Amino acid sequence: VNELGRRERKKRETREALAAAALRLAVERGVENVSVEDISEAADVSVRTFFNYFSHKEYAILGRDPDAGERLLRRLREAPAELSPLAALRSAIEESLDDLERDAVAWSQRAALVAESPMLLARLVMAGADDERRLAAVLAERMGVDADDPAGRLTPLLLAAASGCAIRVALEHRGTTNDARPLRALVHEALDQLATGLDHGNPQGGVVRPEQRDQA
Amino acid sequence: VNELGRRERKKRETREALAAAALRLAVERGVENVSVEDISEAADVSVRTFFNYFSHKEYAILGRDPDAGERLLRRLREAPAELSPLAALRSAIEESLDDLERDAVAWSQRAALVAESPMLLARLVMAGADDERRLAAVLAERMGVDADDPAGRLTPLLLAAASGCAIRVALEHRGTTNDARPLRALVHEALDQLATGLDHGNPQGGVVRPEQRDQA
């Protein structure tokens, strides 16, 4: 166990050193002017080692950690059975919110780089789409959706997409208003609204009346 | 009025000819091997005329029509006051769903190109972010959100993002399952779920109980 713990810790340290070097170099030179070779050299590892941790230089700059994704899926699988799918998802993303808050400076640097680099934006979106698909699959399991029931797969996909949407909206809201609430509070407010329904101002409070749906 | 009508029609025809040429060339040669010059020549207009219609070649390939965006915002502003914001949004996007259904072949070609070209994906996401911001601003107006109330801007932004999310999820669902329902039905099912709340399986039906929120 000690040996395993040491190996895990070293692995995490190497990943963090590569991600930190990649972000620093991209901030200094621009995303397009940084290569995998540059990042590997700055973190004092071989190019081959780099690719053990990240499949693309953009994922290093974004600090994408596949282990963090796996941990989220595991927490979702292990969340108490009495929680609704959304409540289980909400509890599972707490650690991701910790990461976002702890690395706030790195995340704001990444956001600035993404605004400048279409390739970085594309990789961010592709990674998000992958995460969403895997999240939807675990939610479908949790909800007992039959593999032969294509219609039943819409709800877990929507849940996965909407929770990603809540995080993105919270980040965008914080970046474009002077709302002083912490990111975590904004994400939870968005998730509360998704949980209880977005049909605000409807006199029946969250329920779409059939005659209203016909008008729409 | 006749003169205006003719000018509008010619403008629409030129835009459609450019978008059709851009898509055809991109399918034939790949996105990276098509230039604004190629597209303009294929549609028999000058490069200067091209830029009257599209700011980037990617927007021509995507068939992005700023007039369609403006029409959606106008429909949203003009929707009956008694509709909830989400119901108004739902009625306003009907025409966009018509476009998606009518141009189903073009949209599936575009989806295949986006999967191959990070630059095209990046432009699609950037255009979507622009649309979302403008949509959120009109929703904020409609909801009477005070310009000095930063916290109040979260809800219109979430509504705009969630409706985009519903369309994206419907497209993704249709592309990855053999659910035979038409796109429109899938979008409306996703919007129904967003309207009534995503806390499925919660015994209180869409309402998050405080003790459950604490667990999460």
Side-chain angles (χ1 to χ4, degrees):
Chain A
V1 174
N2 251 355
E3 179 53 32
L4 184 69
R6 187 184 305 125
R7 219 184 298 152
E8 284 300 311
R9 197 187 66 230
K10 294 220 167 231
K11 215 178 125 185
R12 196 181 64 229
E13 285 169 359
T14 305
R15 183 191 305 284
E16 288 175 355
L18 280 165
L23 182 57
R24 179 175 55 76
L25 290 172
V27 168
E28 284 170 13
R29 306 181 190 173
V31 172
E32 321 307 324
N33 303 315
V34 178
S35 67
V36 168
E37 287 73 16
D38 298 334
I39 298 167
S40 306
E41 192 174 314
D44 199 22
V45 301
S46 68
V47 165
R48 191 177 150 171
T49 297
F50 175 96
F51 285 112
N52 288 337
Y53 291 90
F54 299 104
S55 53
H56 303 90
K57 80 168 183 189
E58 287 85 4
Y59 284 167
I61 297 170
L62 295 170
R64 178 166 172 75
D65 180 357
D67 293 347
E70 285 305 317
R71 283 197 302 273
L72 190 155
L73 298 180
R74 198 174 58 233
R75 287 193 302 275
L76 184 57
R77 283 197 193 90
E78 292 171 357
E82 65 271 22
L83 291 185
S84 73
L86 185 63
L89 188 52
R90 193 195 281 255
S91 83
I93 65 172
E94 278 295 314
E95 189 186 300
S96 316
L97 296 181
D98 289 341
D99 288 347
L100 279 172
E101 286 192 332
R102 195 179 40 241
D103 300 335
V105 173
W107 277 106
S108 82
Q109 288 177 324
R110 287 179 188 129
L113 292 170
V114 163
E116 298 294 316
S117 165
M119 193 52 142
L120 199 59
L121 173 60
R123 287 273 177 229
L124 181 66
V125 171
M126 287 188 263
D130 268 0
D131 292 346
E132 183 180 292
R133 268 188 289 272
R134 289 186 300 151
L135 197 54
V138 174
L139 284 166
E141 261 174 51
R142 207 187 146 89
M143 297 168 73
V145 174
D146 197 310
D148 293 332
D149 170 23
R153 307 195 79 82
L154 185 69
T155 298
L157 184 61
L158 183 63
L159 272 169
S163 66
C165 185
I167 296 177
R168 192 174 61 69
V169 160
L171 286 166
E172 162 102 8
H173 177 79
R174 211 185 37 168
T176 54
T177 67
N178 51 4
D179 192 330
R181 284 177 289 172
L183 183 67
R184 182 180 303 271
L186 296 173
V187 172
H188 281 294
E189 187 191 322
L191 289 171
D192 285 344
Q193 294 193 19
L194 289 170
T196 54
L198 291 180
D199 215 9
H200 316 84
N202 182 313
Q204 298 209 347
V207 178
V208 184
R209 287 162 300 159
E211 70 273 27
Q212 198 172 36
R213 181 145 358 130
D214 292 341
Q215 278 184 294
Chain B
V1 174
N2 251 355
E3 179 54 33
L4 185 69
R6 186 185 306 125
R7 218 185 299 152
E8 283 300 311
R9 197 188 66 230
K10 294 225 166 225
K11 214 178 126 184
R12 197 183 62 229
E13 286 168 0
T14 305
R15 184 192 303 285
E16 287 174 357
L18 280 166
L23 182 56
R24 179 175 55 76
L25 291 172
V27 168
E28 283 170 15
R29 308 181 188 171
V31 173
E32 320 307 325
N33 303 316
V34 178
S35 68
V36 167
E37 287 73 17
D38 298 334
I39 299 166
S40 307
E41 192 173 313
D44 199 22
V45 302
S46 69
V47 165
R48 192 176 148 170
T49 296
F50 176 96
F51 285 112
N52 288 336
Y53 291 89
F54 299 105
S55 54
H56 302 91
K57 79 168 184 190
E58 287 84 4
Y59 284 166
I61 297 171
L62 295 170
R64 178 166 172 76
D65 179 358
D67 293 348
E70 285 305 318
R71 284 198 302 275
L72 191 155
L73 297 181
R74 197 174 58 233
R75 287 194 302 276
L76 184 57
R77 283 197 193 91
E78 292 170 357
E82 64 271 23
L83 290 184
S84 73
L86 185 63
L89 189 51
R90 192 194 282 254
S91 83
I93 64 172
E94 277 297 313
E95 191 187 300
S96 316
L97 296 181
D98 289 341
D99 288 346
L100 279 172
E101 286 190 333
R102 194 178 44 240
D103 301 334
V105 173
W107 277 107
S108 82
Q109 289 178 322
R110 287 179 188 129
L113 291 170
V114 163
E116 298 293 316
S117 164
M119 192 53 141
L120 200 60
L121 172 60
R123 288 272 178 229
L124 180 66
V125 170
M126 285 188 264
D130 267 0
D131 292 346
E132 183 180 291
R133 267 188 289 272
R134 288 185 302 149
L135 197 54
V138 174
L139 284 166
E141 261 173 51
R142 211 189 141 85
M143 298 169 73
V145 174
D146 197 310
D148 292 333
D149 170 24
R153 306 196 80 81
L154 185 69
T155 298
L157 184 61
L158 183 64
L159 272 169
S163 64
C165 184
I167 296 178
R168 192 174 62 70
V169 160
L171 286 166
E172 162 103 8
H173 177 79
R174 211 185 39 168
T176 55
T177 67
N178 51 3
D179 192 330
R181 285 178 289 171
L183 183 67
R184 183 180 302 272
L186 297 173
V187 172
H188 281 292
E189 187 192 320
L191 288 171
D192 285 344
Q193 293 193 19
L194 289 170
T196 53
L198 292 180
D199 215 10
H200 316 84
N202 182 313
Q204 298 211 345
V207 178
V208 183
R209 288 163 299 160
E211 69 274 25
Q212 197 174 35
R213 181 150 351 134
D214 292 342
Q215 277 185 297

